[in-house]
Amino acid sequence: MEVVAVRRGAVRSVVVAGSLVLGVAGLAGGAQASAGEAAGVPGVPGARGARVAPGAGAGAEADVSYHGRVRLAGGRLRVWLIPANDGPAALPGATVRVRLSADLADRQEPVQGCARTGTREVVCETGPLPRHGRGRHIALALELRERPDEVSVRVDTWWNGGASDRNRANNELVVLALDTGDSYAF
């Protein structure tokens, strides 16, 4: 998969190897949950305790993708995301994961619908993803433990309600942000 980040007209490409694996485990009453439930992130779909109505994604097909920008300046990382669904089915919600190559500071400003799941990882709910539509805009203002010269930001689908996705190439993106204050689009 090739990921392209654009900075003020210049194109930088990054080649990424690997694949996304989604796990779904059955729950009592026919509801579905993701393998991410073991992480125990309250309030974020796919985390421990989250429930999806029977058939609300399980067995459906949806093409989830992400677009946005990343900006790094003085140890502060800003990530703006817009999840999208190219169908053919609507999803009641999904969970996007943002992983960094640098450690997050101990204290972070909470963002509604998002939770920190590790020293370098945050997950956020997308809200409903209509067929051929977009989810909620997600804006993360992340403080880093140190002031790195660059940070790799990986964005991928952590949970999608059990829907199948034939085009997983647009589910996992990697953007390299340099500490210049410039925005890098993906």
Side-chain angles (χ1 to χ4, degrees), residues 95-172:
T95 304
V96 61
R97 175 173 54 179
V98 177
R99 294 179 288 168
L100 311 174
S101 63
D103 290 346
L104 292 164
D106 291 336
R107 295 187 55 107
Q108 299 290 325
E109 283 294 318
V111 175
Q112 185 174 354
C114 296
R116 181 178 177 167
T117 57
T119 58
R120 296 180 173 193
E121 186 174 280
V122 175
V123 295
C124 298
E125 65 168 329
T126 64
L129 293 171
R131 186 177 125 211
H132 303 295
R134 295 180 172 181
R136 72 180 187 96
H137 292 221
I138 300 167
L140 299 173
L142 303 171
E143 300 290 330
L144 302 178
R145 183 176 305 276
E146 297 178 6
R147 293 181 63 166
D149 294 334
E150 64 184 38
V151 173
S152 292
V153 179
R154 292 181 175 275
V155 177
D156 64 2
T157 301
W158 192 41
W159 175 82
N160 72 353
S164 64
D165 188 342
R166 292 184 190 186
N167 182 15
R168 291 188 179 167
N170 61 5
N171 292 23
E172 184 174 335

Side-chain angles (χ1 to χ4, degrees), residues 35-85:
E37 279 196 338
V41 183
V44 177
R48 182 179 312 283
R51 299 287 188 265
V52 175
E61 182 180 337
D63 182 17
V64 178
S65 62
Y66 306 98
H67 304 281
R69 324 185 291 279
V70 175
R71 182 171 51 108
L72 177 62
R76 293 181 174 189
L77 182 68
R78 303 297 184 250
V79 180
W80 296 274
L81 291 169
I82 303 172
N85 177 10

